[in-house]
């Protein structure tokens, strides 16, 4: 957004910036909805952790922004502003790329497969594979009905995981 303000002038700059803010709002709402959808399969403490993580991410973004402002100062030349913006958005792109790489790794973990089974998202065959990958024996295996009746009680959860 800062680049559109720097390189464009007048009403056109305002319109482009407004469109970018609207598109960013749409993307943010889709992202947050997806995150709550993914965390909705997990116990409640993970939803709280995801919300807390979003708060810390907001702090992290501002800290990175202030560090870049400190490094490049208040110089208002286009070169300084462009370089600072490129560093800021480069760091953001790196963090987003790490998230995109880690999401498939996370969802392929047996723990999450067992959670997906609780909500009916994967087949019983995939559930059995996840149990065996997690090292649970046949005697420890629970039926889908047993898993759905579990509470978030630590003692019951630790018996499975």
């Amino acid at each position: 957004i800062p680049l559109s303000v720097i390189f464009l002038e007048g009403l056109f700059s305002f319109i482009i910036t407004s469109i970018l803010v609207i598109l960013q709002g749409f993307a943010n709402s889709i992202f947050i909805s997806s995150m709550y959808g993914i965390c909705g399969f997990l116990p409640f403490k993970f939803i709280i952790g995801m919300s807390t993580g979003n708060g810390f991410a907001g702090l992290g973004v501002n800290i990175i922004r202030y560090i870049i402002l400190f490094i490049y100062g208040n110089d208002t030349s286009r070169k300084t502003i462009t370089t600072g913006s490129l560093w800021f958005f480069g760091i953001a792109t790196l963090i987003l790329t790490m998230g995109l790489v880690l999401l498939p790794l996370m969802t392929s973990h047996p723990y999450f497969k067992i959670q997906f089974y609780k909500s009916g998202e994967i087949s019983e065959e995939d559930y059995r594979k996840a149990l065996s990958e997690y090292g649970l024996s046949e005697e420890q295996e629970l039926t889908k009905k047993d898993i759905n009746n579990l509470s978030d009680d630590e003692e019951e959860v630790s018996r499975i995981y």
Side-chain angles (χ1 to χ4, degrees):
I1 292 178
L3 295 177
S4 66
V5 173
I6 294 168
F7 294 118
L8 305 173
E9 295 179 7
L11 181 63
F12 186 66
S13 173
F14 174 74
I15 291 171
I16 294 297
T17 303
S18 297
I19 290 171
L20 289 173
V21 167
I22 290 169
L23 290 175
Q24 185 177 3
F26 284 136
N28 190 37
S29 67
I30 290 170
F31 171 75
I32 291 295
S33 299
S34 299
M35 290 304 296
Y36 278 107
I38 291 170
C39 287
F41 293 113
L42 304 172
F44 189 69
K45 63 184 176 182
F46 293 100
I47 297 172
I48 294 170
M50 192 266 313
S51 297
T52 305
N54 279 333
F56 281 123
L59 286 172
V61 164
N62 284 311
I63 289 170
I64 291 170
R65 186 178 77 176
Y66 292 134
I67 290 171
I68 290 173
L69 282 174
F70 178 75
I71 291 171
Y72 290 102
N74 284 333
D75 187 7
T76 57
S77 70
R78 286 186 180 204
K79 181 180 179 185
T80 303
I81 293 173
T82 303
T83 305
S85 296
L86 289 174
W87 273 105
F88 180 80
F89 289 109
I91 292 169
T93 302
L94 177 68
I95 292 170
L96 285 173
T97 304
M98 287 179 358
L100 288 172
V101 168
L102 292 176
L103 181 63
L105 293 174
M106 181 187 78
T107 56
S108 66
H109 190 274
Y111 174 81
F112 292 99
K113 288 182 181 178
I114 292 170
Q115 295 295 328
F116 291 149
Y117 179 75
K118 286 170 57 174
S119 64
E121 295 292 320
I122 65 169
S123 67
E124 186 142 351
E125 180 182 336
D126 290 335
Y127 169 69
R128 290 183 189 280
K129 285 181 189 176
L131 282 175
S132 66
E133 289 174 18
Y134 222 138
L136 294 175
S137 66
E138 292 295 321
E139 300 86 47
Q140 294 172 311
E141 184 177 4
L142 300 175
T143 65
K144 184 175 183 178
K145 181 181 174 187
D146 292 333
I147 290 209
N148 286 333
N149 290 332
L150 285 178
S151 67
D152 282 341
D153 182 48
E154 290 294 326
E155 189 174 307
E156 286 182 300
V157 173
S158 65
R159 186 167 51 94
I160 299 173
Y161 310 113

